[in-house]
C-alpha cells in the first residue's frame, strides 16, 4: 500500500472540533466525525479539499507520494492501437514510440490517455461488441477483424449491465469497445477494434455553459483501460494505457474532429478542452492499487488539441489543489503553422474552452453580464462589428493575453503563456533543434502570429527518434494499407529486407526487385482501367469514399529509378513542390532524355483524400497533366499520385525518396527512408537539416517558408502570390537535387551504395540518436532537460502556480472602462438621434439614454439602430437591427 506522509499545520482548528497533528502515518482525518480511520486509497489532495471545506488550513504535502519517474501523456493519436484513426500523421508515431522507448530504455512509467472516438455513434453513448456468435480462433481469441453487425451503440449513460439486460444478453457476451471504420458499408464488412474496460476513475467536470456564459455545464467522464484481450495489432494491450470517454468525444469518427460528421473549428477545441479537464480529474484518482499507484510528477501534452492542459493545471494549482504543485508539464508543438494553431475571433467560445468555474462566476458578476449574455444568445455571427468589438473588450481582461499577432484568440498561444507565467513548472518545445531555431528566426515564416512569443521563452526541442521495426520491412505477411486490395493479394511478391551489416548490395537488389513487383502490378492494372488501378491500393469501401489514383507507371527495367514520397494530404507537405520540381527536371537540357525516361515518381498522401477544392490538390492535378503531355507524352507512365492511404512499407520498393515540406518539424518519413537504406531529397527545413548531410541525402539550398522579403516581395503581397513564388523557388532547387541524384545513380554506383549503407547504419532510435542530437539521445534529453528526473523531487518548484487567465476584479474594471470609452464617442455622436426616438416603444433605446456605464455599454446597439435609421423622421416599431427581424431586437428589449 502506498504511504502519504501528511502533516497538519500547527494550530489547525476545525469549526467544531480540534484535531491532533498526524505525521508519517497511513491514516487520514475523518473531519466530519473527528476520528482517525484507516487510510486506504484517498489521496492527500482530497483530504485537503475536505479540510478546506471544514474551515481548517491545508495539509502540507511533502511530495514523497509524487513519482518523478511517472509521466502522463495526452495524445490524440497513438499508432500502437492498430486503428487507422489513431495514426493520421507523425504524431501517432511519436506517441507510440517515445513512451515505449522510455519504458524499455529509461525505466520510466509512461502512460497515455487518448480521446474516445467511435465509428457511426451519433448519440454519444458507449459502444458494445456482442460476441456470442463470433467464432474464436483455435486459441479461443477473437478474430483480428469482426463484422460490423456485432458492434452496437447504446444510449448515453447506459452501462454494459443495463445494455445486456435491455436486450436480454448474457453480460459475459458483451464487451465495451472502440470500433474502427469498417471496410465497407454492409453489415458483414469487417472492422478493427479495441476492447476496453471501465475503471473507477469517473465523475463530472464543469465548464461554461453552451447557453449561458454565467452558468456552468456538467459533463460526465469515464476512464477506460485498454484490455489485454485485444488483437495482436494492438501494441498497448500489455501496458497500462487508457481512453477517456465523454458523450461528445464518443460521437466523433476520428480524433481532431467534433460531432458525428467530423467537423472541426473552435467547437472541436472546446471538446478538446473538456478532454483535458477530464484527464486531470481522472489523473487525481489514479494513485490507488487499481492503477498501480500512478501519481505522476510529469505531464506531456502533444500538439494543439491538448494545449489547454497547461492552463487547467495552472488553474487547479492556483486554486489550492496541491496535487499539481511541483509537477512539470511539457507541451510539444508538432506543427505551429497557422492552420494548426487553433484560433478564433469569438471570445465566448474561447472562454468556454479556457475558463475555470471561478472565471464564470466573475463573468456572472460583470456589470454588463445581462448585455453580454444577450449577445451570446443572439449568436456571434449575428452581431454587428461594433457589438463584437464591445464583447472582445469586455473579455480581454480575462483572455486578451491569448491574442496572437493577427488579433485572434490562439489555442497554441495558451501553452506559450503558460511558459511565461509558470516557467519552472511548464516546458515547451517542438521535435527537432533546427525547427526550434526556425520558429524563432525573424527571416522565416513557419509560425505566423506567434513568432515573437516563441522568441521570448526558453524552448527545449530534442530531435525525436524513429523505430525502424515498426515499418515491417522484414516480412511479407501483413496486408498493405487497409487490405482487400491488389497489393495485399499479391503481398508474397514483396521481398523482405533484412540488413545484417555486410549485405547492403543484397538489400539494394531486393529493393529493386520490389520496385519491379510494385510497378509491374501497376502496369498490369493500368491495362485493365481506372478501377483496377484504384484497387491496387484501395478496397471497395475506400474507393467508395473517393480514394483513387492519378496517372500510372510502366514496369521498371534494370537500371531504372523509382523516387517515392508519402505523407498526409496537407499543405504542410508541399506536394506541388515535388511535382513542379519533377516537371522542371524533365525539361532540363543538361540531362539526357534517355536518362530522364528511366526516372519514375510515385507519391502518396496519407490516410485521407484531398479536399478537391484545395489549392495544392489543384496544383498537383495541373502539374501531373503537364508531365503526362510533355514531349508528346513520352513521360505519361513515369508519374503517379495516390490520393488516399499510401503504405509507408512501400519504401522497400524505392531507389530514392523525396520530401518537400513547406515546413517540417522532425520528419518521420525521411527517417523511415533511412531505415530502409533509401537515400532521399528533402527541403532544408526542420529536422531533416539536423540529420541530413552530404553522405546520406540531398538538401535544397533554402527553406521554402522564408519571409516575403527573401523573395523580393512585401508583407502586403497576397498570401497565394507569396506561396506561388515560394513553390517556384523551392521547385527549382528540387530540380537541381534531382539532377545530382540521377548523376550519382547512373554514373557513380559505388557512391550510391555507400549512401544507402550510411543511411541504414545511422542510429536513429530514441535511445541512441546522439549523433544528430548534440551528443545526447532524445530519451536523455526528455529525461533530464525537460522533466529533470535525475535531479529528483527536491529540486522541483512546489509553490502554487499562477493562473493564466487574468480575471481579477481590477482587470475587469479596467477592461470595462476601456471598452466603454472606446464606444462612448459613437454613442455621443448619435445622442441627438437617440433623443428623437426616445419615446418609441423600444425600451432598450430608452435605457441607453441613462447615464454612466450603461449609456456606453448599450450605446453600441443604440448607435447601430440610429445609424440605420438616421434619415427616418419617425421610427417604426417593427424595424430591424443588424439585418435581423424584429423578434431579435426583442431579446435586447428584455435585457434593458
Amino acid at each position: 500500500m502506498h504511504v502519504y506522509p501528511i502533516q497538519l499545520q500547527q494550530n489547525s482548528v476545525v469549526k467544531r472540533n480540534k484535531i491532533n497533528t498526524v505525521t508519517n502515518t497511513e491514516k487520514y482525518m475523518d473531519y466530519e466525525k473527528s476520528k482517525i480511520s484507516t487510510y486506504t486509497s484517498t489521496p492527500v489532495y482530497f483530504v485537503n479539499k475536505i479540510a478546506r471545506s471544514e474551515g481548517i488550513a491545508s495539509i502540507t504535502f511533502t511530495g514523497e507520494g509524487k513519482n518523478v519517474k511517472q509521466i502522463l501523456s495526452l495524445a490524440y493519436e497513438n499508432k500502437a492501437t492498430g486503428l487507422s484513426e489513431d495514426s493520421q500523421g507523425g504524431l501517432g508515431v511519436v506517441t507510440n514510440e517515445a513512451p515505449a522507448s522510455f519504458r524499455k530504455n529509461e525505466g520510466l512509467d509512461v502512460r497515455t490517455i487518448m480521446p474516445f472516438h467511435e465509428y457511426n455513434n451519433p448519440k454519444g453513448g458507449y459502444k458494445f461488441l456482442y460476441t456470442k456468435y463470433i467464432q474464436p480462433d483455435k486459441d479461443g481469441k477473437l478474430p483480428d477483424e469482426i463484422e460490423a453487425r456485432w458492434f452496437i451503440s447504446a444510449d448515453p449513460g447506459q452501462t454494459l449491465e443495463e445494455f445486456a439486460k435491455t436486450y436480454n444478453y448474457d453480460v459475459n457476451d458483451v464487451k465495451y469497445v472502440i470500433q474502427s471504420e469498417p471496410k465497407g458499408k454492409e453489415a458483414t464488412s469487417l472492422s478493427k477494434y479495441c476492447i476496453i474496460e471501465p475503471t473507477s476513475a469517473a465523475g463530472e467536470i464543469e465548464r461554461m455553459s453552451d447557453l449561458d456564459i454565467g452558468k456552468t455545464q456538467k459533463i460526465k467522464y469515464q476512464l477506460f483501460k485498454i484490455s489485454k484481450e485485444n488483437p495482436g495489432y494492438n501494441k498497448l494491450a500489455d501496458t497500462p494505457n487508457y481512453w477517456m470517454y465523454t458523450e461528445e468525444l464518443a460521437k466523433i469518427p476520428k480524433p481532431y474532429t467534433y460531432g458525428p460528421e467530423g467537423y472541426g473549428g473552435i467547437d472541436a477545441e472546446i471538446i478538446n478542452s473538456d478532454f483535458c479537464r477530464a484527464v486531470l480529474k481522472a489523473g487525481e484518482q489514479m494513485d490507488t492499487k487499481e492503477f498501480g499507484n500512478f501519481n505522476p510528477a510529469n505531464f506531456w501534452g502533444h500538439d494543439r488539441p491538448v494545449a489547454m492542459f497547461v492552463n487547467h493545471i495552472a488553474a487547479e494549482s492556483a486554486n489550492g489543489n496541491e496535487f499539481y504543485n511541483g509537477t512539470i508539464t511539457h507541451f510539444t508543438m508538432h506543427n505551429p503553422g497557422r492552420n494548426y494553431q487553433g484560433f478564433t475571433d469569438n471570445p465566448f467560445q474561447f472562454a468556454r474552452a479556457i475558463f475555470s468555474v471561478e472565471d464564470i462566476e466573475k463573468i456572472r458578476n460583470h456589470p454588463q453580464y445581462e448585455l453580454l449574455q444577450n449577445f451570446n444568445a443572439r449568436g456571434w455571427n449575428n452581431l454587428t462589428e461594433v457589438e463584437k468589438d464591445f464583447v472582445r473588450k469586455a473579455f480581454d481582461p480575462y483572455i486578451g493575453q491569448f491574442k496572437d499577432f493577427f488579433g485572434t484568440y490562439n489555442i497554441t498561444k495558451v501553452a506559450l503563456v503558460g511558459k511565461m507565467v509558470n516557467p519552472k513548472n511548464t516546458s515547451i518545445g517542438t521535435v527537432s533543434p533546427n525547427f526550434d531555431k526556425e520558429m524563432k528566426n525573424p527571416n522565416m515564416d513557419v509560425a505566423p502570429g506567434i513568432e515573437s512569443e516563441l522568441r521570448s521563452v526558453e524552448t527545449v526541442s530534442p530531435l525525436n527518434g524513429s523505430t525502424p521495426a515498426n515499418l515491417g520491412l522484414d516480412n511479407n505477411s501483413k496486408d498493405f494499407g487497409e487490405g482487400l486490395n491488389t497489393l495485399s493479394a499479391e503481398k508474397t511478391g514483396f521481398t523482405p529486407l533484412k540488413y545484417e551489416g555486410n549485405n547492403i548490395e543484397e538489400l539494394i537488389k531486393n529493393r529493386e526487385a520490389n520496385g519491379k513487383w510494385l510497378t509491374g502490378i501497376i502496369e498490369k492494372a493500368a491495362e485493365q482501367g481506372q478501377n483496377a488501378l484504384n484497387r491496387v491500393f484501395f478496397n471497395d469501401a475506400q474507393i467508395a469514399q473517393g480514394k483513387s489514383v492519378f496517372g500510372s507507371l510502366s514496369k521498371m527495367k534494370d537500371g531504372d529509378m523509382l523516387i517515392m514520397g508519402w505523407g498526409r494530404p496537407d499543405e504542410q507537405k508541399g506536394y506541388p513542390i515535388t511535382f513542379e520540381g519533377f516537371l522542371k527536371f524533365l525539361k532540363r537540357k543538361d540531362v539526357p532524355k534517355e536518362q530522364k525516361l528511366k526516372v519514375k515518381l510515385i507519391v502518396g498522401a496519407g490516410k485521407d483524400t484531398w479536399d478537391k477544392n484545395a489549392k495544392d490538390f489543384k496544383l498537383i492535378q495541373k502539374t501531373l497533366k503537364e508531365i503526362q503531355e510533355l514531349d508528346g507524352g513520352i513521360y505519361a507512365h513515369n508519374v503517379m499520385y495516390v490520393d488516399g492511404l499510401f503504405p509507408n512499407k512501400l519504401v522497400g520498393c524505392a531507389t530514392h525518396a523525396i520530401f518537400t515540406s513547406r515546413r517540417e518539424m522532425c520528419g518521420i518519413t525521411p527517417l523511415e527512408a533511412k531505415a530502409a537504406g533509401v537515400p532521399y531529397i528533402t527541403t532544408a527545413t526542420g529536422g531533416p537539416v539536423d540529420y541530413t548531410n552530404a553522405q546520406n541525402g540531398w538538401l535544397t539550398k533554402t527553406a521554402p517558408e522564408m519571409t516575403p522579403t527573401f523573395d523580393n516581395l512585401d508583407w502586403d503581397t497576397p498570401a497565394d502570390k507569396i506561396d506561388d513564388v515560394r513553390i517556384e523557388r523551392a521547385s527549382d532547387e528540387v530540380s537541381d537535387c534531382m539532377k545530382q541524384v540521377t548523376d550519382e545513380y547512373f554514373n557513380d554506383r559505388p557512391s550510391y551504395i555507400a549512401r544507402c549503407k550510411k543511411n541504414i547504419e545511422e542510429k536513429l532510435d530514441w535511445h541512441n540518436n546522439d549523433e544528430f542530437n548534440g551528443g545526447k539521445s532524445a530519451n536523455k534529453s526528455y529525461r533530464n532537460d525537460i522533466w529533470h528526473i535525475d535531479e529528483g523531487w527536491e529540486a522541483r518548484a512546489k509553490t502554487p502556480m499562477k493562473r493564466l487567465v487574468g480575471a481579477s476584479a481590477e482587470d475587469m474594471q479596467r477592461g470595462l472602462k476601456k471598452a466603454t470609452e472606446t464606444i462612448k464617442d459613437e454613442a455621443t455622436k448619435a445622442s441627438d438621434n437617440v433623443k428623437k426616438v426616445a419615446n418609441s416603444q423600444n425600451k432598450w433605446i430608452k435605457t441607453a439614454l441613462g447615464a454612466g456605464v450603461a449609456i456606453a455599454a448599450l450605446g453600441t446597439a443604440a448607435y447601430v439602430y440610429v445609424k440605420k435609421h438616421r434619415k427616418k423622421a419617425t421610427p417604426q416599431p417593427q424595424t430591424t437591427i443588424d439585418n435581423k427581424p424584429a423578434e431579435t431586437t426583442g431579446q435586447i428589449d428584455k435585457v434593458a
Side-chain angles (χ1 to χ4, degrees):
M1 181 164 56
H2 197 66
V3 178
Y4 282 93
I6 59 178
Q7 181 177 342
L8 293 177
Q9 295 179 3
Q10 289 186 352
N11 301 322
S12 297
V13 180
V14 184
K15 291 179 181 178
R16 294 181 295 267
N17 302 295
K18 291 184 178 181
I19 304 177
N20 295 325
T21 300
V22 182
T23 58
N24 298 325
T25 179
E26 290 183 285
K27 307 285 184 179
Y28 74 95
M29 303 306 300
D30 183 334
Y31 298 105
E32 188 65 32
K33 298 180 180 179
S34 187
K35 67 181 183 179
I36 297 178
S37 60
T38 302
Y39 173 75
T40 55
S41 63
T42 303
V44 71
Y45 43 89
F46 285 159
V47 178
N48 275 335
K49 289 181 179 179
I50 298 172
R52 287 194 295 273
S53 70
E54 294 292 344
I56 71 169
S58 297
I59 297 168
T60 301
F61 177 35
T62 60
E64 285 83 350
K66 280 291 180 199
N67 192 327
V68 294
K69 290 190 175 183
Q70 290 181 336
I71 302 167
L72 177 59
S73 173
L74 284 79
Y76 260 56
E77 294 183 35
N78 192 313
K79 186 177 181 179
T81 69
L83 308 183
S84 63
E85 293 85 354
D86 303 324
S87 184
Q88 300 181 64
L91 190 151
V93 177
V94 172
T95 55
N96 163 24
E97 294 183 0
S101 183
F102 294 164
R103 286 192 293 265
K104 178 180 178 181
N105 299 294
E106 303 297 324
L108 304 180
D109 182 0
V110 188
R111 308 189 189 184
T112 299
I113 299 181
M114 300 168 287
F116 236 70
H117 59 79
E118 293 281 13
Y119 168 73
N120 190 25
N121 194 45
K123 292 189 292 186
Y126 301 131
K127 181 167 279 192
F128 297 104
L129 177 62
Y130 186 46
T131 64
K132 182 175 182 178
Y133 301 106
I134 300 172
Q135 186 65 38
D137 64 17
K138 61 180 180 180
D139 297 320
K141 295 183 178 180
L142 294 171
D144 285 358
E145 296 177 322
I146 294 175
E147 293 179 354
R149 58 178 166 164
W150 304 124
F151 297 91
I152 308 169
S153 295
D155 292 328
Q158 193 172 40
T159 65
L160 183 148
E161 291 76 16
E162 292 167 342
F163 174 81
K165 183 177 181 180
T166 299
Y167 292 95
N168 198 27
Y169 293 158
D170 187 326
V171 292
N172 296 313
D173 293 331
V174 182
K175 301 180 185 298
Y176 290 95
V177 71
I178 301 285
Q179 182 192 6
S180 187
E181 184 174 5
K183 299 176 180 178
K185 299 298 182 183
E186 296 78 21
T188 55
S189 298
L190 297 176
S191 273
K192 288 186 175 181
Y193 59 94
C194 176
I195 295 175
I196 54 179
E197 301 170 4
T199 71
S200 64
E204 292 181 335
I205 57 169
E206 287 186 275
R207 66 157 165 85
M208 180 186 286
S209 167
D210 289 335
L211 301 177
D212 191 328
I213 61 174
K215 296 181 179 179
T216 62
Q217 176 173 324
K218 293 185 177 181
I219 297 167
K220 292 182 178 181
Y221 69 86
Q222 168 72 64
L223 187 71
F224 287 82
K225 67 178 181 180
I226 295 176
S227 173
K228 293 183 178 180
E229 186 185 356
N230 264 297
Y233 51 73
N234 192 321
K235 305 302 181 184
L236 299 178
D238 292 325
T239 59
N241 289 280
Y242 311 91
W243 298 92
M244 175 57 71
Y245 168 89
T246 70
E247 187 174 320
E248 295 302 325
L249 287 172
K251 294 177 183 179
I252 66 176
K254 59 185 177 182
Y256 304 110
T257 56
Y258 167 75
E261 301 302 320
Y263 298 118
I266 189 63
D267 288 337
E269 303 307 334
I270 295 170
I271 304 306
N272 294 341
S273 185
D274 290 344
F275 166 73
C276 294
R277 290 185 176 101
V279 168
L280 289 182
K281 292 305 177 187
E284 294 179 13
Q285 298 169 289
M286 296 175 72
D287 190 14
T288 65
K289 183 177 181 180
E290 175 189 358
F291 294 97
N293 294 109
F294 188 63
N295 190 4
N298 314 291
F299 299 91
W300 192 5
H302 296 271
D303 221 11
R304 181 207 70 246
V306 299
M308 287 295 175
F309 198 54
V310 175
N311 171 73
H312 300 328
I313 285 178
E316 285 290 321
S317 177
N319 289 334
N321 190 341
E322 291 91 347
F323 180 79
Y324 299 100
N325 296 350
T327 62
I328 294 177
T329 300
H330 182 68
F331 176 72
T332 299
M333 291 180 290
H334 288 262
N335 192 333
R338 181 62 176 168
N339 292 342
Y340 288 83
Q341 291 170 14
F343 53 88
T344 180
D345 69 340
N346 184 339
F348 292 129
Q349 290 293 73
F350 194 85
R352 286 186 175 89
I354 201 166
F355 270 18
S356 66
V357 172
E358 290 77 10
D359 299 320
I360 300 167
E361 182 179 353
K362 288 173 182 175
I363 282 290
R364 189 166 58 249
N365 295 324
H366 194 289
Q368 293 302 324
Y369 161 66
E370 289 188 350
L371 180 63
L372 290 170
Q373 171 53 22
N374 171 264
F375 288 163
N376 172 66
R378 281 173 58 192
W380 184 249
N381 293 332
N382 296 327
L383 302 183
T384 68
E385 286 306 313
V386 175
E387 289 167 333
K388 287 181 178 179
D389 192 49
F390 172 74
V391 176
R392 293 189 193 101
K393 286 183 172 64
F395 271 86
D396 274 359
Y398 305 86
I399 59 176
Q401 62 270 41
F402 303 111
K403 281 186 175 179
D404 55 34
F405 175 82
F406 302 104
T408 55
Y409 306 101
N410 194 303
I411 300 291
T412 299
K413 191 176 173 183
V414 172
L416 290 166
V417 173
K419 177 63 179 176
M420 297 173 192
V421 174
N422 297 303
K424 294 182 179 180
N425 297 98
T426 304
S427 174
I428 190 169
T430 185
V431 288
S432 73
N434 184 64
F435 194 78
D436 190 300
K437 296 175 184 176
E438 291 182 358
M439 292 190 304
K440 302 176 180 182
N441 187 341
N443 298 313
M444 295 193 69
D445 191 29
V446 298
I450 57 174
E451 305 100 321
S452 61
E453 289 84 358
L454 282 164
R455 286 193 284 271
S456 69
V457 300
E458 178 189 6
T459 50
V460 185
S461 302
L463 177 67
N464 282 196
S466 177
T467 305
N470 289 336
L471 280 171
L473 293 168
D474 60 350
N475 69 82
N476 61 5
S477 61
K478 294 184 178 180
D479 285 344
F480 286 84
E482 290 296 321
L484 300 179
N485 52 34
T486 307
L487 287 176
S488 297
E490 301 187 25
K491 61 189 175 186
T492 55
F494 178 89
T495 304
L497 306 180
K498 296 181 181 180
Y499 182 62
E500 298 171 351
N502 58 358
N503 65 330
I504 188 63
E505 293 191 54
E506 177 188 0
L507 185 141
I508 292 171
K509 289 179 180 178
N510 288 343
R511 281 207 324 259
E512 292 170 348
N514 287 340
K516 292 178 182 178
W517 166 79
L518 172 62
T519 54
I521 290 174
I522 293 171
E523 181 182 72
K524 183 178 178 181
E527 295 170 354
Q528 299 172 20
Q530 185 62 45
N531 188 55
L533 268 173
N534 292 341
R535 283 193 62 82
V536 171
F537 297 91
F538 310 121
N539 55 46
D540 290 341
Q542 292 174 297
I543 293 171
Q545 295 167 349
K547 293 178 170 61
S548 61
V549 301
F550 301 87
S552 65
L553 300 177
S554 57
K555 185 175 181 179
M556 292 176 66
K557 299 176 183 177
D558 289 343
D560 283 0
M561 289 176 58
L562 179 61
I563 303 176
M564 183 180 293
W566 63 99
R568 294 190 312 278
D570 190 291
E571 58 83 26
Q572 178 208 336
K573 298 303 178 182
Y575 294 116
I577 299 172
T578 297
F579 286 98
E580 186 67 23
F582 188 51
L583 174 62
K584 290 179 176 178
F585 167 76
L586 296 176
K587 290 181 176 180
R588 295 183 75 107
K589 303 299 183 183
D590 56 352
V591 180
K593 182 174 291 186
E594 60 272 16
Q595 189 167 299
K596 290 186 284 190
L597 284 167
K598 290 177 174 289
V599 182
K600 302 181 188 300
L601 173 70
I602 182 170
V603 178
K607 299 185 180 300
D608 293 321
T609 57
W610 276 100
D611 173 356
K612 299 306 183 283
N613 292 316
K615 174 185 176 180
D616 279 16
F617 181 75
K618 292 179 178 179
L619 287 175
I620 291 169
Q621 296 293 85
K622 174 180 175 291
T623 311
L624 270 172
K625 184 177 180 182
E626 290 185 53
I627 293 171
Q628 291 167 339
E629 295 175 352
L630 183 65
D631 292 347
I634 62 174
Y635 304 110
H637 300 294
N638 285 56
V639 62
M640 186 175 190
Y641 177 71
V642 181
D643 188 27
L645 177 58
F646 188 86
N648 56 3
K649 183 178 177 178
L650 289 178
V651 68
C653 305
T655 60
H656 298 81
I658 185 167
F659 311 102
T660 60
S661 295
R662 288 177 170 91
R663 79 203 75 87
E664 186 59 72
M665 285 52 67
C666 179
I668 296 296
T669 47
L671 295 178
E672 290 172 340
K674 282 180 174 294
V678 175
Y680 55 92
I681 298 168
T682 178
T683 42
T685 175
V689 176
D690 288 319
Y691 55 72
T692 304
N693 52 51
Q695 287 75 48
N696 59 25
W698 294 266
L699 283 166
T700 59
K701 292 180 180 179
T702 61
E705 291 191 330
M706 306 299 291
T707 57
T709 54
F710 183 87
D711 291 310
N712 298 314
L713 302 172
D714 58 50
W715 286 105
D716 292 329
T717 306
D720 275 351
K721 174 64 175 176
I722 293 174
D723 186 54
D724 290 343
V725 172
R726 289 171 174 170
I727 292 173
E728 192 70 18
R729 168 171 50 86
S731 60
D732 283 339
E733 297 175 10
V734 166
S735 173
D736 291 340
C737 288
M738 285 187 171
K739 182 182 185 306
Q740 297 170 34
V741 168
T742 54
D743 284 346
E744 178 181 272
Y745 189 72
F746 293 124
N747 303 315
D748 188 359
R749 185 75 173 179
S751 292
Y752 172 73
I753 294 172
R755 201 179 294 270
C756 294
K757 190 172 190 293
K758 171 68 173 168
N759 273 296
I760 205 166
E761 290 183 346
E762 287 176 337
K763 294 179 179 179
L764 299 166
D765 214 335
W766 294 81
H767 68 287
N768 63 11
N769 61 349
D770 311 46
E771 177 184 351
F772 303 109
N773 203 37
K776 183 185 294 186
S777 72
N779 281 7
K780 295 299 182 185
S781 187
Y782 275 103
R783 179 185 180 111
N784 293 323
D785 299 336
I786 290 174
W787 291 302
H788 303 282
I789 289 172
D790 290 349
E791 296 176 29
W793 177 257
E794 291 306 316
R796 297 292 181 96
K798 304 183 189 69
T799 56
M801 299 180 209
K802 298 178 181 178
R803 301 183 75 250
L804 310 189
V805 175
S808 70
E810 294 78 10
D811 283 345
M812 183 184 72
Q813 292 298 333
R814 281 195 293 269
L816 180 61
K817 181 179 179 182
K818 182 179 179 181
T820 55
E821 287 179 350
T822 300
I823 62 175
K824 192 171 183 178
D825 288 343
E826 295 174 348
T828 301
K829 291 175 184 178
S831 61
D832 291 341
N833 301 71
V834 173
K835 290 176 182 178
K836 291 179 182 179
V837 296
N839 295 320
S840 73
Q841 294 180 4
N842 269 329
K843 182 181 176 183
W844 67 270
I845 294 182
K846 293 181 182 179
T847 305
L849 296 176
V853 171
I855 197 170
L858 293 178
T860 54
Y863 173 70
V864 172
Y865 181 97
V866 171
K867 184 176 181 180
K868 286 180 175 291
H869 303 86
R870 188 181 298 273
K871 296 181 180 180
K872 292 186 178 181
T874 305
Q876 301 299 314
Q878 294 300 314
T879 189
T880 60
I881 296 179
D882 193 18
N883 296 319
K884 298 299 170 186
E887 55 264 29
T888 304
T889 68
Q891 296 175 351
I892 299 181
D893 244 7
K894 294 175 184 177
V895 173

